[in-house]
Amino acid sequence: MHRQDAWTQPEDDLLANTVLTHISSNKTQLAAFQEVGERLNRTPAACGFRWNNTLRHNYFDEIKAAKDERRNNKSSSKIRRTNIETTEETEINYMNEIDKAIGALNNLRIEFLNMQETIRTQKNKINELTIEIREGRKEYNRPIASEDLDTLLKIIHRADQLGFPKNIQQYKEEPAI
């Protein structure tokens, strides 16, 4: 008599291949039992029982090869992870250096704009002074009070032209007694 829920060879093969794949890819055997149970409409416990009591003993070499593959994958994964971390650190360092360079360039730009403004202001002053010199408005060798002196001299000169006497003493009024 044959059991209704007996395992077939294709089901055993599916269970064995799935468990070996999970071992080599660093997944648990329990996950393999769950996956096969869903596909074969069996419980994960039934799959685990079948693997541990019947099939596992027939796949000793394959289990060892899967574990070796897992170890190799872990080593290369660590190397990859280390390389990724090193690459990320390097990228962060580059980004920090780029940020510093951008900050320095912004400071230089601001300094350049300030210098341009100073140059523009100085050019305007030079142009104004050049025009004043050409027009003769300023005499740069005279003392500060020279404008008042100029005005006084002009008044005296005008008085001479109008015929005012040079000796103002004669026009002084005698004090009233």
Side-chain angles (χ1 to χ4, degrees):
M1 174 145 200
H2 201 295
R3 286 185 59 157
Q4 188 177 5
D5 61 348
W7 285 78
T8 63
Q9 187 60 46
E11 290 174 329
D12 283 344
D13 292 342
L14 176 64
L15 178 59
N17 289 332
T18 305
V19 169
L20 292 171
T21 301
H22 276 68
I23 291 172
S24 67
S25 61
N26 201 27
K27 295 179 184 174
T28 65
Q29 291 181 23
L30 291 174
F33 301 152
Q34 242 176 341
E35 184 180 319
V36 172
E38 288 173 6
R39 290 177 68 185
L40 299 179
N41 200 24
R42 294 183 183 265
T43 65
C47 295
F49 186 79
R50 179 72 174 173
W51 171 255
N52 286 316
N53 288 331
T54 308
L55 300 177
R56 185 169 53 109
H57 308 292
N58 300 333
Y59 290 93
F60 179 79
D61 291 334
E62 289 85 350
I63 292 171
K64 185 179 181 316
K67 286 181 179 180
D68 290 341
E69 185 179 343
R70 178 179 63 203
R71 271 188 231 108
N72 290 337
N73 286 341
K74 277 187 179 180
S75 298
S76 65
S77 175
K78 283 181 185 177
I79 291 170
R80 250 183 276 119
R81 198 173 322 115
T82 303
N83 288 342
I84 289 170
E85 289 169 1
T86 304
T87 302
E88 288 173 354
E89 288 174 12
T90 302
E91 288 176 2
I92 289 171
N93 288 338
Y94 285 145
M95 295 303 289
N96 288 338
E97 292 300 317
I98 289 170
D99 287 344
K100 287 178 187 176
I102 289 171
L105 287 173
N106 280 332
N107 290 338
L108 287 173
R109 184 177 73 66
I110 290 169
E111 188 176 336
F112 175 76
L113 293 174
N114 289 337
M115 286 180 162
Q116 277 186 322
E117 181 61 25
T118 302
I119 289 170
R120 188 184 60 77
T121 302
Q122 295 300 322
K123 280 184 178 180
N124 287 342
K125 284 183 183 179
I126 289 171
N127 288 337
E128 289 173 7
L129 291 172
T130 302
I131 291 170
E132 287 179 11
I133 290 171
R134 282 188 188 144
E135 292 177 357
R137 281 197 223 154
K138 286 192 176 179
E139 295 179 21
Y140 293 98
N141 294 331
R142 296 179 91 179
I144 296 174
S146 67
E147 288 181 16
D148 292 339
L149 184 60
D150 281 346
T151 304
L152 181 61
L153 289 173
K154 285 179 185 176
I155 290 171
I156 291 172
H157 180 65
R158 182 70 178 142
D160 282 343
Q161 287 178 343
L162 293 175
F164 284 100
K166 291 184 182 182
N167 187 355
I168 298 184
Q169 291 294 335
Q170 67 188 23
Y171 291 103
K172 263 189 170 178
E173 289 185 21
E174 297 292 327
I177 306 183

